[in-house]
Amino acid sequence: MSSRTPVIAGNWKMYKDHLEAIQLVQKLAYHLEAEDYEDQEVVVCPPFVSLRSVQTVIQSDDLPIGLGAQNCHPEDEGAFTGEVSVPMLSRLDVTYVIAGHSERRALFGESDAVVNEKVRAIQHHGLRPILCVGESLEEREAGRAVEVVVQQLRGSLDGIAIDDPEALVVAYEPVWAIGTGRTATPQDAQEMCAAVRAEVASLYDQATADGVRVQYGGSVKPGNVKSLMSQPDIDGALVGGASLSSEDFALIVRHRR
Ligand code: PGA
């Protein structure tokens, strides 16, 4: 048994206005009981404009739900129209920040170098990155999946020290499984999460690798979460579509029952 505390995070992407966001987190809390939060972290990542509203609900109802952001700018402040900095997120009690999600890599041109700067900034301010890596379908079919993921990991972590392994979450999200309903088999997901951990061991050391949490993401649903989470190197899930339904996300969080 690993001593790592799993993290189940909901990535709401560009869904829900701030009123719907308030409802979603309230309903989620309604479906969950104290035991569901034991020995695992539950995190929601709403759009920027809803962070304040969701934070207020979490605070006033004293909910054991963590707050995450979906992106950040690496600088603390500056003339970067439309961007949001890590210190701003920190002031809203955000503890996790997703960095390098495949949608950002593909649609907004984020390279490993940019992701590296973001991870650095997130760590610098004492927040926790959820660093996303994952191969495309073509890359998997060409037998290059591990190579691609290892490359992303190296580039995104280049020159970054890891003092507290618990403070780094890596999300393995095969691009072909995101929003497609097509999930990696638990065996394939386990194999890649183990490869991620092995790479962390080679970049740092075994103790660091043993402490880092590695999530699986890509069409995680109530029906497949159990088999994924039972894999030894999978320490949680990054959930997109299914996190938009309080019932489904609650069922995912309650996968141990
Ligand atoms: P999905 O998204 O669960 O809708 O496949 C996962 C993600 O993009 O983080």
Side-chain angles (χ1 to χ4, degrees), residues 78-217:
F80 301 106
T81 302
E83 294 294 310
V84 173
S85 75
V86 181
M88 292 171 186
L89 298 173
S90 174
R91 293 281 287 162
L92 289 174
D93 297 337
V94 165
T95 51
Y96 284 94
V97 185
I98 299 172
H101 188 280
S102 63
E103 286 153 14
R104 298 220 52 93
R105 291 177 186 265
L107 304 172
F108 301 95
E110 281 189 19
S111 62
D112 288 334
V114 170
V115 177
N116 183 292
E117 284 183 41
K118 293 186 177 189
V119 170
R120 244 174 237 276
I122 296 163
Q123 273 199 343
H124 176 74
H125 291 285
L127 278 69
R128 300 173 159 198
I130 298 179
L131 165 60
C132 299
V133 293
E135 82 286 358
S136 67
L137 187 59
E138 302 81 76
E139 289 161 342
R140 174 155 285 262
E141 284 173 347
R144 297 182 50 230
V146 173
E147 178 196 328
V148 166
V149 166
V150 161
Q151 203 51 48
Q152 289 174 338
L153 211 52
R154 284 188 192 154
S156 309
L157 292 174
D158 187 31
I160 294 180
I162 302 180
D163 299 328
D164 176 12
E166 274 260 304
L168 174 66
V169 176
V170 178
Y172 166 55
E173 298 204 302
V175 177
W176 47 271
I178 295 178
T180 58
R182 204 178 144 185
T183 325
T185 64
Q187 293 70 30
D188 284 347
Q190 159 58 25
E191 200 176 286
M192 189 63 90
C193 291
V196 165
R197 200 178 303 287
E199 184 57 26
V200 172
S202 95
L203 291 172
Y204 299 91
D205 53 45
Q206 194 57 47
T208 304
D210 289 341
V212 163
R213 272 88 58 85
V214 184
Q215 294 176 318
Y216 168 78

Side-chain angles (χ1 to χ4, degrees), residues 11 13 101 103 173 177-179 218-220 238-241:
N11 171 12
K13 307 193 181 184
H101 188 280
E103 286 153 14
E173 298 204 302
I178 295 178
S219 298
V220 175
L238 186 55
V239 185

Side-chain angles (χ1 to χ4, degrees), residues 8 30-33 36 40 225-226 247-257:
I8 312 239
Y30 171 80
H31 289 302
L32 296 176
E33 289 169 26
D36 299 319
Q40 69 176 0
V225 63
K226 218 183 178 79
E247 287 88 355
D248 282 356
F249 193 58
L251 285 170
I252 289 171
V253 171
R254 295 167 65 167
H255 66 95
R256 299 172 296 188
R257 291 217 200 159

